[in-house]
Amino acid sequence: MKKDIFIDNNIASKFSNPQDKEYIKLTQWLLYFDETDIENKDNYAHLVVSKKLLGEYNRSAMNAISDTSIPLIINKLLSQGRLNIISNQDIKNFQASHFTNVVKRRLRSNNEDREHIPLVLLSDRKYALTRDDNFKYDLDNFRGFSVRVEKKPENLPYDE
């Protein structure tokens, strides 16, 4: 199982300087990778993304020059094969089978964030960081899945 995590765009902005100590710790965990241990790559951090989320990250951090900005982290993870990319087709398939009319009526998140729900639910560990209360509610209350969603990295056992 990959040690993966979904990081919402509203959290990604916290990766630029100055970072508080918990974001420094999360950033170090994301970036640490022993190149000589490539066969055990799943034991290192993976970021759960989609093409849409990558676009959101890039738009939000367009002028970021910090060496801890999310685009630089993504580039490093991509070069090391540590992005868990959920395809658009997998997202559509998930929505077709799980987003019944009843489920759609119960969702509180906006339409844009509803495309991110499958990213978390299709990930290995189903860990997410977000500051969006409605998105958090939808993930916490999505039937049939056990998800861990937190607003702060120190509340999520991402490094275990």
Side-chain angles (χ1 to χ4, degrees):
M1 173 176 10
K2 292 177 184 161
K3 288 190 171 185
D4 58 4
I5 187 171
F6 170 89
I7 298 175
D8 201 359
N9 192 41
N10 59 34
I11 295 284
S13 63
K14 297 281 195 180
F15 285 93
S16 294
N17 289 330
Q19 290 183 314
D20 69 30
K21 68 177 186 171
E22 290 302 324
Y23 283 93
I24 291 171
K25 184 179 170 189
L26 176 61
T27 302
Q28 289 171 340
W29 176 74
L30 284 168
L31 292 175
Y32 178 74
F33 182 63
D34 182 353
E35 299 274 348
T36 64
D37 194 23
I38 195 119
E39 59 206 38
N40 294 311
K41 182 171 44 175
D42 288 352
N43 293 330
Y44 297 92
H46 285 67
L47 188 61
V48 180
V49 296
S50 66
K51 288 182 181 180
K52 180 181 178 191
L53 184 60
L54 290 171
E56 286 181 21
Y57 286 159
N58 285 328
R59 283 189 299 279
S60 295
M62 192 176 301
N63 296 320
I65 55 172
S66 164
D67 60 351
T68 60
S69 69
I70 197 71
L72 292 175
I73 292 170
I74 288 168
N75 283 339
K76 185 164 187 169
L77 295 176
L78 179 62
S79 71
Q80 296 169 343
R82 296 191 296 131
L83 282 182
N84 184 2
I85 303 171
I86 308 295
S87 73
N88 289 340
Q89 189 59 53
D90 287 341
I91 293 168
K92 287 177 185 175
N93 291 345
F94 183 93
Q95 289 174 324
S97 63
H98 294 285
F99 280 34
T100 63
N101 288 334
V102 172
V103 168
K104 288 179 196 175
R105 280 193 299 274
R106 290 183 181 152
L107 294 175
R108 294 184 181 178
S109 58
N110 64 43
N111 286 330
E112 295 292 311
D113 286 340
R114 292 179 184 188
E115 286 192 38
H116 299 326
I117 292 171
L119 299 182
V120 178
L121 300 180
L122 291 170
S123 69
D124 283 4
R125 294 196 304 175
K126 297 166 185 40
Y127 281 4
L129 284 172
T130 185
R131 290 185 293 167
D132 182 328
D133 289 327
N134 290 330
F135 184 58
K136 182 178 181 337
Y137 175 88
D138 289 347
L139 288 169
D140 284 335
N141 294 287
F142 207 97
R143 291 187 180 161
F145 293 88
S146 178
V147 181
R148 180 82 186 261
V149 186
E150 299 292 344
K151 291 184 176 188
K152 297 180 178 182
E154 59 265 31
N155 298 332
L156 191 66
Y158 59 85
D159 57 352
E160 294 178 2

